[in-house]
Amino acid sequence: MKKKESSFINMFLTLAVVTLVASASLGFVFDLTKGPIAKAQLEKQKAAISDVLPGFDNNPIDEAVSFAVANSSQADSLLFYPVKKENELLGYAVKTVSAKGYSGEIWLMVGINQQGEVKNIAVLDHKETPGLGSKISTEKFKNQFEGITSSSSDIKVKKDGGEIDAISGATISSRAVCEAVEKALVTWKENAN
Amino acid sequence: MEKTISSRENFLKGFIRENPVFSLLLGLCPTLGVTSTAINGLGMGLATTFVLLMSNTVIALVKNLIPDKVRIPSFIVIIASFVTIVDLVMAGFLPALHAQLGLFIPLIVVNCIVLGRAEAFASRNTVASSAVDGLGMGLGFAFALTILGTVREVIGSLSIFGWKFMEGDGLLVFVLAPGAFIALGFLIAIVNWYKRMQDKAAIENKKEVAA
């Protein structure tokens, strides 16, 4: 087959066809994966909730309530997932976020029991540096937040005079996690208590 | 290409002789960016392999339908479509892997190996040999990224494929960008040395045959 000539009409038609086929196939794949992607997201949140406050038998995602963040300049609100066992409230899993990550937002799930203590945290989504900031999802780092309450004064990294050991090389990411946890606790105190 | 080569050679050339990273020095942005751990390197390499295989095949198929002057934009659209497909499929069906690699997948579009192979190979060869070339080059890229990732992970985090073999923090610089350059420099030197040894051996063999 001979190579097509680079005339205006040929170029125009080729590009039109190429982009059309590309967008059609992308639309098709998007449609195909939309369901599974939404399901995977939901599964991830459920898994995170049972990570931070295990042993529930309700469906926290359906019962989520939104509370405004206390003393925040913007209109900001966090989602609270009530975690119940046999209709008794065990606590709330709070989906919280910090915009102060090294590269973009860090989304966390923070489990707070009825005494206002953090049980555990789980990292939902982040864009931190792989190998450095991404270590915020390691047990060693996350476990430091266990038992922290809203009345603990210093949810800060040691460098800032707090109690949390920052990840070496990723102080900014560590700070952002502290901020997000504090935000969850403050909002919990204002609303759920 | 003037000279015909066997498909075995065509496939194997991507590993050392024409390895995209070690010999052609192409696609260094993702190479330096993602290889802080071995797993990341391997995953990125395999995702790139898929894109290379698909884009090489499709471009070899349609090469005669695309006028020369608009070939680059057409190739880029084809490549970008495959990358987006990989991204969506991974997010839907392999969410765990996507959580690890999601940050890097869109980077494949700007990986010059993919466009480079489309331009240098697929646009002037048959569909079958282009597919073999894409697969070989992709696996060669994955191979290079995995080695580099392993070296950096071992020195920088004292672990290998996520398994920690020693307590402690390691040499942090190897996880950061400078370590990528240092490790890559040493690896390229080793590959160059190996290629020179091979060339020498080949010349001596020829001499012996002649004598």
Side-chain angles (χ1 to χ4, degrees):
Chain A
M1 193 162 59
K2 233 188 95 208
K3 189 124 185 150
K4 239 189 195 168
E5 206 186 320
S6 294
S7 66
F8 177 78
I9 187 79
N10 271 351
M11 293 197 283
F12 178 81
L13 284 178
T14 309
L15 284 184
V17 170
V18 167
T19 42
L20 211 71
V21 172
S23 31
S25 47
L26 283 186
F28 176 72
V29 174
F30 176 75
D31 218 45
L32 209 69
T33 52
K34 202 164 57 181
I37 289 177
K39 217 177 121 202
Q41 290 286 357
L42 214 65
E43 285 299 315
K44 200 169 154 189
Q45 293 202 358
K46 241 188 209 158
I49 293 174
S50 71
D51 259 2
V52 296
L53 277 177
F56 56 86
D57 56 7
N58 66 331
N59 189 349
I61 290 175
D62 288 346
E63 298 171 34
V65 271
S66 156
F67 288 122
V69 176
N71 50 39
S72 155
S73 46
Q74 303 116 356
D76 205 0
S77 65
L78 301 179
L79 274 177
F80 278 57
Y81 299 99
V83 171
K84 294 173 187 163
K85 191 176 185 188
E86 286 156 6
N87 279 328
E88 195 191 331
L89 194 62
L90 296 175
Y92 286 98
V94 186
K95 191 173 159 191
T96 175
V97 62
S98 168
K100 290 187 183 155
Y102 188 67
S103 40
E105 295 176 335
I106 297 178
W107 286 88
L108 300 176
M109 191 70 85
V110 179
I112 303 174
N113 67 12
Q114 285 301 80
Q115 287 78 48
E117 285 173 0
V118 171
K119 285 301 285 178
N120 202 348
I121 67 172
V123 180
L124 291 172
D125 203 15
H126 72 86
K127 295 192 168 51
E128 303 305 290
T129 319
L132 286 173
S134 65
K135 285 188 186 155
I136 52 172
S137 4
T138 56
E139 292 299 321
K140 194 178 158 200
F141 180 70
K142 290 192 302 187
N143 285 345
Q144 300 186 79
F145 291 93
E146 202 185 319
I148 281 180
T149 64
S150 52
S151 51
S152 324
S153 50
D154 285 322
I155 311 174
K156 280 180 187 155
V157 295
K158 281 189 176 153
K159 224 182 218 172
D160 303 338
E163 286 292 310
I164 305 293
D165 262 327
I167 296 155
S168 45
T171 311
I172 295 176
S173 312
S174 314
R175 270 189 195 132
V177 173
C178 293
E179 191 211 41
V181 172
E182 190 174 22
K183 195 151 118 187
L185 279 170
V186 169
T187 313
W188 178 87
K189 201 178 178 186
E190 291 285 314
N191 297 287
N193 209 350
Chain B
M1 265 199 184
E2 291 289 301
K3 127 183 130 170
T4 50
I5 50 173
S6 72
S7 50
R8 187 171 163 272
E9 268 176 76
N10 187 11
F11 176 71
L12 287 177
K13 70 175 193 282
F15 284 85
I16 298 282
R17 182 86 4 209
E18 283 184 42
N19 186 293
V21 175
F22 294 146
S23 297
L24 305 179
L25 303 186
L26 284 178
L28 292 186
C29 162
T31 305
L32 297 169
V34 309
T35 53
S36 50
T37 65
I39 289 280
N40 282 349
L42 183 66
M44 179 68 179
L46 292 181
T48 310
T49 305
F50 174 77
V51 172
L52 253 172
L53 176 64
M54 298 310 284
S55 68
N56 256 12
T57 310
V58 169
I59 286 165
L61 264 174
V62 300
K63 62 177 183 286
N64 285 331
L65 298 173
I66 293 175
D68 261 347
K69 280 187 183 163
V70 290
R71 65 179 195 285
I72 302 276
S74 310
F75 293 171
I76 283 289
V77 171
I78 293 171
I79 293 165
S81 307
F82 279 117
V83 171
T84 314
I85 288 172
V86 169
D87 195 29
L88 288 173
V89 170
M90 242 189 200
F93 301 102
L94 300 164
L97 188 63
H98 190 263
Q100 288 272 316
L101 286 175
L103 313 174
F104 308 120
I105 301 294
L107 273 179
I108 301 175
V109 180
V110 292
N111 188 330
C112 46
I113 299 168
V114 185
L115 185 61
R117 293 327 285 176
E119 175 70 6
F121 201 95
S123 64
R124 43 192 87 157
N125 283 285
T126 61
V127 175
S129 61
S130 299
V132 172
D133 175 78
L135 194 64
M137 279 289 164
L139 290 178
F141 185 64
F143 165 73
L145 257 59
T146 312
I147 291 192
L148 186 55
T150 310
V151 170
R152 289 179 63 189
E153 195 183 343
V154 165
I155 303 177
S157 321
L158 300 181
S159 63
I160 184 161
F161 281 97
W163 175 73
K164 207 139 173 59
F165 59 82
M166 228 163 114
E167 278 307 304
D169 270 339
L171 268 179
L172 197 59
V173 71
F174 271 85
V175 181
L176 294 163
F181 282 98
I182 296 169
L184 182 62
F186 276 103
L187 286 174
I188 291 174
I190 292 171
V191 169
N192 276 342
W193 173 79
Y194 172 78
K195 279 198 296 190
R196 201 160 298 166
M197 296 298 276
Q198 262 197 337
D199 286 347
K200 249 190 205 160
I203 291 170
E204 266 162 32
N205 267 344
K206 255 186 203 159
K207 270 186 196 159
E208 268 171 35
V209 171

